[in-house]
Amino acid sequence: MDDRDRGGLVRAFETLPGLPGNPARPVPDTANRSLTLAETEMLRNLNVEFHGNGLPGAPYSRLVRGGAVPHMKNACSPRPGT
């Protein structure tokens, strides 16, 4: 697959069952992006502090998994090369 053609795999899959042209809707690029090194390091440091202070898991899940990570992935656009 060509990394420059992000829709190539979906288009190839759509042709297999003989579906009419382009039934799958593209997902915005940010929906499935990886965290940057800076974002990962921030979360790593947060994990160390959170778990090092013996805080319970429910607030962590709500604040980090349900808030910070989705916000970074969906509302923040990393600069190219980061």
Side-chain angles (χ1 to χ4, degrees), residues 48-82:
V48 168
E49 290 299 319
F50 201 95
H51 297 297
N53 287 307
L55 298 170
Y60 174 87
S61 183
R62 187 174 61 254
L63 294 171
V64 177
R65 292 183 184 138
V69 171
H71 177 76
M72 285 187 287
K73 291 179 76 173
N74 297 318
C76 302
S77 297
R79 294 177 302 189
T82 60

